[in-house]
Amino acid sequence: MPSLPPMNLRVTTALVLSGGGARAAYQVGVLKAITALRRQHGGGHGEHANPFDVIVGTSAGAINGAALACHADHYDAGVDQLAEVWSQFSAEQVYRSDALGVARSGARWLSMMSLG
């Protein structure tokens, strides 16, 4: 039977943010939900403190993580700023959605599928 960790052991909470371009905008929705839950349940370390000891990310997730780290002393403000930034993006700023860009992506995908 596994033993319990010592009582003086400090738990480290990490936030891992994946990449994926526009998918990083979805992360902001999750971060806003975490903020709302903290407000409902008392906040933890401090009213505005960052609830994460470690923040890591890759690609667009690293950009979100860096923005949160810039507001390490006021997590809610960091999330609010991220939400503001992502709400100003349009599809054309994140990926090519014009006819030529879509045709190129389709041709590239088709060649990869046919050639392996």
Side-chain angles (χ1 to χ4, degrees), residues 37-49 51:
L37 287 170
R38 284 171 30 99
R39 287 180 185 152
Q40 283 180 326
H41 300 286
H45 303 297
E47 184 180 340
H48 301 293

Side-chain angles (χ1 to χ4, degrees), residues 5-116:
M7 294 302 289
N8 62 354
L9 182 66
R10 186 175 183 287
V11 175
T12 300
T13 304
L15 176 65
V16 180
L17 301 166
S18 64
R23 291 183 195 94
Y26 302 136
Q27 294 171 357
V28 178
V30 174
L31 296 170
K32 286 177 72 170
I34 291 170
T35 300
L37 287 170
R38 284 171 30 99
R39 287 180 185 152
Q40 283 180 326
H41 300 286
H45 303 297
E47 184 180 340
H48 301 293
N50 192 323
F52 303 103
D53 301 307
V54 176
I55 300 173
V56 297
T58 188
S59 191
I63 293 169
N64 283 348
L68 287 176
C70 288
H71 295 281
D73 293 336
H74 202 298
Y75 173 80
D76 296 357
V79 172
D80 289 344
Q81 184 178 28
L82 271 174
E84 178 66 25
V85 168
W86 279 105
S87 71
Q88 301 301 316
F89 276 101
S90 65
E92 295 79 25
Q93 291 173 297
V94 179
Y95 53 84
R96 290 191 64 175
S97 59
D98 60 291
L100 181 58
V102 171
R104 281 185 181 162
S105 294
R108 192 174 317 125
W109 180 81
L110 186 59
S111 68
M112 288 189 315
M113 292 299 289
S114 63
L115 299 175

